[in-house]
């Protein structure tokens, strides 16, 4: 099992061995959504916030 740290609160996050680049994770401590940016080395960052497109 892989392990990284939440960039928002610093909590330890365990990831499965088959985690994929671009996968979105949720921190169990603070609820922040994190995106897997790189696998080598394992790097996560806050996931981009999706905005609604109202056709404007």
């Amino acid at each position: 099992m892989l392990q990284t740290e939440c960039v928002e609160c610093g909590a330890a996050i365990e990831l499965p061995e088959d985690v994929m680049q671009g996968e979105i994770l949720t921190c169990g401590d603070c609820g922040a959504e994190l995106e897997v940016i790189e696998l080598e080395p394992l790097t996560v960052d806050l996931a981009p916030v999706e905005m609604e497109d109202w056709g404007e």
Side-chain angles (χ1 to χ4, degrees), residues 14-52:
E14 292 187 354
L15 308 170
E17 294 288 334
D18 62 348
V19 68
M20 298 174 60
Q21 188 171 352
E23 193 167 329
I24 303 295
L25 314 164
T26 301
C27 175
D29 282 10
C30 71
E33 290 192 339
L34 307 169
E35 181 177 4
V36 177
I37 304 297
E38 295 282 339
L39 294 175
E40 295 288 334
L42 181 60
T43 306
V44 297
D45 200 358
L46 291 175
V49 177
E50 297 279 333
M51 302 292 284
E52 292 288 332

